[in-house]
Amino acid sequence: MGSLDNKIALVTGGSRGIGKAIALAFAAEGAHVAFTYKSASGAAEETANAIRAVGRKTLALQSDARNSDEAAKVVDAIVKEFQRLDILVNNAGITKDTLLMRMSEQDWDDVIDTNLKSAFNFSKAVSRPMMSQRAGTIVNISSIAGVIGNPGQTNYSAAKAGMIGMTKTLAKELSSRNIRVNAVAPGFVDTDMTEKLTPQQKEALVAMIPMKRTAKPEEIASVVVFLASPASGYMTGQVLCVDGGLVM
């Protein structure tokens, strides 16, 4: 028996990185897991196969998270397939890092739309089925960049801070219908995003972290499982930093 036995979960941006780790952790805890991906169909197939390998059902849905109509279609497809939707994880995200004075309007718009607008689109789309079943949980993947800022990431920090504001407001709006909304703010995680750093940059980064290492995606996923499960049943509107002590 897992803590999410037979729950129906949706993870946006679930084909790789933190999203994939969350999808697999949910499946390991007994959930059936649908996930979206933008273009990496090979990676999506791998994730779907890994979910099926533990005996769980899955739907891999290609979708542009920035588009509200596509978000609504994804949620409709899941509810049609599984008759309900218990968990949403807003994880879809990109970075386009540069200092503000060099940042183009396109860099700003792309990051705000992919990281923040997508969370609005999917949260709105799931709110109706969750309200009618009078149960549900939403977990937003924010970032420590949204808590303390990060030079070269004005767009990303603004989007992730926006997700924190959205988390707290939605928690207040939806709690009377037994829907909980929380956020996880990861620190630096071993994913495609951090692989772009030079060894010198990585070294400087690790020196700043009290635990002297970056996180594995699975270490973020386990906290998301906790927030999606009955173990956190009296928590809503919270932001948990999973960052090796960086923000304390």
Side-chain angles (χ1 to χ4, degrees):
M1 287 279 285
S3 62
L4 302 176
D5 257 5
N6 292 314
K7 295 291 186 190
I8 310 302
L10 166 59
V11 181
T12 67
S15 65
R16 52 206 173 108
I18 294 171
K20 179 178 183 176
I22 293 166
L24 297 185
F26 278 177
E29 286 295 327
H32 303 296
V33 188
F35 64 92
T36 66
Y37 66 98
K38 192 175 179 191
S39 54
S41 55
E45 193 50 40
E46 270 179 41
T47 303
N49 287 338
I51 293 166
R52 290 187 197 106
V54 295
R56 301 287 94 193
K57 294 175 188 161
T58 186
L59 279 180
L61 299 157
Q62 189 165 14
S63 168
D64 184 345
R66 300 172 297 183
N67 184 307
S68 60
D69 289 342
E70 289 194 28
K73 280 178 189 161
V74 164
V75 171
D76 286 346
I78 294 163
V79 173
K80 190 178 173 192
E81 176 76 18
F82 297 108
Q83 279 68 62
R84 60 184 294 117
L85 180 52
D86 303 294
I87 301 160
L88 166 67
V89 179
N90 284 308
N91 168 73
I94 58 166
T95 55
K96 290 197 172 182
D97 297 353
T98 190
L99 296 172
L100 178 67
M101 59 190 297
R102 296 198 196 107
M103 188 175 287
S104 69
E105 189 177 352
Q106 195 64 55
D107 289 342
W108 171 269
D109 288 347
D110 286 348
V111 170
I112 295 292
D113 286 353
T114 305
N115 295 268
L116 182 56
K117 188 183 175 190
S118 68
F120 160 75
N121 289 339
F122 278 93
S123 297
K124 186 176 180 183
V126 304
S127 62
R128 187 155 289 154
M130 285 185 177
M131 283 168 82
S132 67
Q133 68 201 25
R134 296 191 82 81
T137 179
I138 298 171
V139 183
N140 292 322
I141 307 302
S142 180
S143 167
I144 57 160
V147 180
I148 57 171
N150 197 28
Q153 290 195 314
T154 309
N155 48 6
Y156 186 75
S157 298
K160 294 302 191 180
M163 288 180 92
I164 290 172
M166 183 189 289
T167 298
K168 295 182 178 197
T169 299
L170 282 181
K172 289 181 175 177
E173 287 186 11
L174 299 173
S175 60
S176 65
R177 299 299 183 99
N178 195 33
I179 299 164
R180 300 184 299 108
V181 189
N182 292 289
V184 174
F188 294 100
V189 186
D190 297 331
T191 63
D192 298 352
M193 286 188 187
T194 48
E195 273 170 25
K196 295 172 192 163
L197 302 176
T198 66
Q200 291 81 0
Q201 285 172 317
K202 268 195 178 158
E203 216 170 279
L205 191 67
V206 167
M208 294 171 2
I209 301 168
M211 286 181 71
K212 299 300 175 212
R213 66 176 182 84
T214 50
K216 296 178 179 68
E218 293 74 20
E219 292 176 304
I220 309 304
S222 61
V223 178
V224 177
V225 167
F226 165 68
L227 288 176
S229 78
S232 62
Y234 197 54
M235 288 176 68
T236 196
Q238 299 306 303
V239 183
L240 299 186
C241 291
V242 187
D243 62 358
L246 194 52
V247 167
M248 68 179 169

